[in-house]
Amino acid sequence: MEFVPAPAVHRVLCADCGDPIVPNSANLCVNCLRNTVDITEGIPKQASVSYCRNCERFLAPPAQWMIARPESQELLAICLKKLKGLNRVRLTDAHFIWTEPHSKRLRISLTIQKEVLTSTILEQVFEIEYLVQHGQCPDCTKLAAKNTWKALVQLRQKVPHKRTFLYLEQLILKHGAQKDTISLKEVKDGLDFFYSQRSHAIKMVEFLSGVVPIRSKTSERLLSADTHSNTANFKFTYSVEIAPICKDDLVCLPPKLARQLGNIDPVIFCTRVGNSLHLLHPSTLQSCELIASTYWRAPFDSLASVSELVEFTVLDIESSGRTHGKWVMADAQVALSGAFRSTGTYEDDRMMDYETASSTNQIFHTRTHLGGILQPGDAVLGYHLSNSNFNSDDFASLPQDRIPDVILVRKAYPNRRKKNKSRNWRLRSMAKEEGEEGETGGGRGAVGRMGGRDQKKVEEDYELFLRDLEEDPEMRATVNLFKTDDTKAGKAVSRTSDVKARKKTQFAMDLDEAPAAAPVPVSETDEEEDEADFPEVKLEELLENFDEMTLGEEETHG
């Protein structure tokens, strides 16, 4: 094979340093060309970014505030937008250079290209240092200054307890509906949500209409107007009222409404509350769904609430075989709890109280929907209608043969409740503003911030709400439960305001631990008396604690 030499490469000397180079239009080597032409001219080597410490957001030019994690792509994009002159060069690479987190400095390495002479492209790598300037975004500024809200949602429910708001608070937290709220205030019979924009308040009202039966009204107040530019400044108020019917409440339907709902028996109770009311008649297992619009056309109040439930003991129960979903119809014989305790006042120690023919040891025959879970000897909560007096015209007009003596609602677990065992789970709660002048309370969740109110009633409502979560898997599936540390079992997290709490972020969440009493020594006999079917919250239902939720614990240790 004949050797063919490669074509000779012609080289010229650099016009500045004299090194041999490949000919180019400038007749300069790379180093001399960089010394002669600076392609980074016009690009600042130092810049600043604005950061809001309250809501932890960065200012993205021109006026948008965004949440960006350190060394993230979002933060890199915000930093590059702050640079002037990048539109005159070609950006090929950009990345962060590590700095101390507390240094308030950000360093970015940029690689750019630019055509300096004809067919001559120069590439250069340089660094830019950013100074993080702390300040306040407009939303946090409005939050710091009182009465700067543009829209208000007034949420009310005319009931003597706060369990609805405790449950609603967990729904809001799970779906993130509180993210646009600039302030939250507890008032009588409800909560007030403050917003900086009207659209945020409308979004909250739409969320509430999807989870609870409500009706709402809108009003507006003129603050200022400019006749020359035909503009006006308004404050909007949305008054939202929740139906005063809660889970396990006893109701008496108006006759016309009962006929519309499939001719259902008027005396029924509520099994679940969503965007509609789910009602059940325990004697026939007939159920119906009452939507919010139908309810508010002919509103009615409940006859009795959960606080009026009476504990009964099941003497005998026999299933009839009829089922409806998870409910099983059964005929039961019940008596008031403790009605047949031995008094010891008679010669025969085995003589029971029912031989005294008192009104408290009467045996009631009833039909219930709890045939699948009740056994003889179990405790059950129900309404004692034959011993009650209700202020209702619809109930008074019913014939006596249509009113049962007892309506059983749900199973009770008195033996387990007496031991006050600590729970292995806890809930989140929203950071709220005090309802009265500087006073704070140690209440739970959406209640207890008013100061000077009945604190014992607040704790009772919170305990009943936690029991509802334990005993109702369907209700528990709609909220987020979080694990509690084993070392902190038996301790309650204080909800009182603290000096360090002011350092929390704008939408910081508090953690509510389930209230736990002092550990009680449990004997072997007590273990045997525990209800075998007591509803335990399984470990797989609990979520891990996130970083932003451990702020209160860190401050507690500090």
Side-chain angles (χ1 to χ4, degrees):
M1 180 180 292
E2 185 179 358
F3 173 73
V4 179
V9 178
H10 299 282
R11 294 181 180 274
V12 297
L13 297 179
C14 176
D16 286 348
C17 63
D19 290 341
I21 61 171
V22 179
N24 55 51
S25 58
N27 287 332
L28 296 173
C29 64
V30 176
N31 295 330
C32 295
L33 188 60
R34 287 178 176 174
N35 295 333
T36 305
V37 181
D38 185 13
I39 64 175
T40 64
E41 185 179 2
I43 301 176
K45 304 304 184 295
Q46 291 183 344
S48 62
V49 291
S50 299
Y51 175 73
C52 179
R53 287 183 292 185
N54 294 336
C55 59
E56 299 181 350
R57 294 187 297 176
F58 288 89
L59 174 60
Q64 184 181 4
W65 291 82
M66 296 176 55
I67 297 178
R69 293 186 175 273
E71 299 188 5
S72 63
Q73 294 183 356
E74 293 80 5
L75 182 56
L76 183 61
I78 293 174
C79 293
L80 294 179
K81 285 182 181 180
K82 298 285 290 185
L83 290 180
K84 297 180 180 179
L86 279 183
N87 55 348
R88 295 192 295 267
V89 297
R90 180 185 178 188
L91 180 65
T92 59
D93 185 31
H95 62 271
F96 283 98
I97 300 175
W98 185 85
T99 56
E100 292 288 344
H102 60 273
S103 64
K104 299 183 181 178
R105 298 290 191 275
L106 299 175
R107 296 173 60 195
I108 297 179
S109 175
L110 298 181
T111 304
I112 61 174
Q113 294 179 352
K114 184 179 181 180
E115 184 177 3
V116 293
L117 297 172
T118 305
S119 301
T120 302
I121 298 177
L122 186 63
E123 182 177 272
Q124 189 170 346
V125 179
F126 66 103
E127 295 181 5
I128 298 179
E129 186 180 75
Y130 289 86
L131 175 63
V132 180
Q133 295 180 343
H134 289 181
Q136 277 189 328
C137 64
D139 294 337
C140 295
T141 304
K142 292 180 179 180
L143 179 62
K146 301 296 182 180
N147 300 324
T148 57
W149 50 272
K150 285 295 185 68
L152 167 65
V153 177
Q154 297 176 337
L155 185 61
R156 302 289 185 269
Q157 187 184 31
K158 298 177 181 179
V159 291
H161 59 81
K162 295 287 186 179
R163 293 193 307 276
T164 302
F165 292 100
L166 291 169
Y167 177 60
L168 188 59
E169 179 185 27
Q170 299 304 316
L171 293 178
I172 291 174
L173 290 173
K174 181 175 183 178
H175 297 279
Q178 85 290 351
K179 62 180 180 179
D180 296 323
T181 306
I182 63 174
S183 180
L184 178 60
K185 182 179 179 181
E186 183 192 0
V187 295
K188 184 181 179 181
D189 295 333
L191 298 170
D192 285 347
F193 298 85
F194 297 90
Y195 297 92
S196 59
Q197 298 181 20
R198 183 187 181 186
S199 58
H200 296 163
I202 296 176
K203 186 177 180 180
M204 172 58 80
V205 175
E206 291 176 352
F207 170 78
L208 293 174
S209 64
V211 294
V212 287
I214 65 169
R215 64 176 176 182
S216 61
K217 294 181 181 180
T218 307
S219 63
E220 57 186 29
R221 180 163 62 95
L222 179 64
L223 299 181
S224 61
D226 187 354
T227 56
H228 299 285
S229 59
N230 197 21
T231 58
N233 186 17
F234 290 92
K235 275 190 175 182
F236 300 91
T237 301
Y238 295 86
S239 178
V240 181
E241 182 179 359
I242 305 176
I245 307 297
C246 302
K247 183 176 178 291
D248 294 337
D249 281 2
L250 181 69
V251 299
C252 181
L253 298 177
K256 182 178 179 180
L257 182 59
R259 290 191 297 267
Q260 293 177 356
L261 297 175
N263 202 22
I264 192 172
D265 195 279
V267 182
I268 53 182
F269 72 95
C270 180
T271 59
R272 190 169 70 87
V273 178
N275 55 1
S276 59
L277 300 175
H278 296 257
L279 307 174
L280 175 70
H281 188 259
S283 300
T284 61
L285 296 187
Q286 185 179 359
S287 62
C288 63
E289 182 178 354
L290 183 60
I291 61 177
S293 58
T294 304
Y295 172 81
W296 290 113
R297 280 198 295 267
F300 55 90
D301 295 328
S302 59
L303 292 179
S305 62
V306 179
S307 59
E308 302 175 46
L309 287 173
V310 181
E311 185 175 333
F312 295 89
T313 301
V314 180
L315 304 179
D316 187 20
I317 187 166
E318 181 180 356
S319 176
S320 62
R322 183 179 175 183
T323 61
H324 180 75
K326 65 178 181 179
W327 310 122
V328 178
M329 183 184 294
D331 295 323
Q333 296 182 9
V334 298
L336 292 174
S337 293
F340 300 110
R341 288 195 302 263
S342 177
T343 60
T345 57
Y346 300 95
E347 295 180 358
D348 188 2
D349 292 339
R350 298 180 181 179
M351 187 171 295
M352 298 297 177
D353 284 346
Y354 65 83
E355 296 181 15
T356 63
S358 65
S359 59
T360 59
N361 53 27
Q362 183 179 0
I363 298 178
F364 300 96
H365 298 262
T366 184
R367 184 166 291 176
T368 179
H369 62 293
L370 303 175
I373 59 175
L374 290 183
Q375 298 294 333
D378 288 346
V380 63
L381 297 177
Y383 294 105
H384 194 180
L385 301 186
S386 61
N387 196 25
S388 302
N389 185 18
F390 301 114
N391 186 16
S392 173
D393 294 337
D394 295 328
F395 183 80
S397 61
L398 294 176
Q400 292 298 322
D401 57 347
R402 296 186 61 182
I403 302 177
D405 295 332
V406 172
I407 292 182
L408 303 182
V409 176
R410 64 185 182 188
K411 186 176 179 179
Y413 305 91
N415 295 339
R416 182 60 179 267
R417 297 301 183 192
K418 291 177 182 178
K419 297 181 181 179
N420 293 326
K421 291 187 177 181
S422 60
R423 297 181 173 91
N424 62 343
W425 53 273
R426 53 185 173 180
L427 301 172
R428 282 193 300 172
S429 68
M430 293 182 288
K432 285 166 291 299
E433 180 180 321
E434 297 82 7
E436 295 186 355
E437 301 174 359
E439 297 180 350
T440 57
R444 303 288 184 175
V447 298
R449 295 281 178 162
M450 296 291 289
R453 298 296 171 88
D454 190 353
Q455 192 62 29
K456 183 179 179 181
K457 183 66 168 60
V458 168
E459 295 296 336
E460 289 177 356
D461 288 342
Y462 189 71
E463 176 62 25
L464 290 176
F465 170 65
L466 295 179
R467 292 184 181 182
D468 287 341
L469 289 179
E470 284 181 334
E471 299 173 7
D472 192 346
E474 294 181 1
M475 182 179 180
R476 193 164 61 242
T478 59
V479 302
N480 289 335
L481 305 180
F482 297 91
K483 296 179 182 178
T484 180
D485 298 335
D486 295 336
T487 57
K488 296 181 181 179
K491 297 181 181 179
V493 174
S494 175
R495 297 285 307 280
T496 56
S497 60
D498 184 76
V499 175
K500 295 182 180 179
R502 300 175 186 174
K503 298 181 180 180
K504 290 186 178 180
T505 54
Q506 180 180 3
F507 304 113
M509 299 299 157
D510 296 332
L511 276 170
D512 279 346
E513 286 192 1
V520 179
V522 181
S523 61
E524 296 180 359
T525 56
D526 291 337
E527 289 291 344
E528 294 176 356
E529 293 177 357
D530 258 358
E531 292 86 357
D533 57 344
F534 181 80
E536 295 283 356
V537 179
K538 299 180 181 179
L539 189 62
E540 54 266 21
E541 299 181 32
L542 305 180
L543 302 177
E544 294 288 349
N545 293 335
F546 296 102
D547 293 339
E548 61 268 18
M549 296 182 216
T550 59
L551 180 60
E553 299 174 5
E554 295 173 359
E555 293 175 354
T556 304
H557 293 306

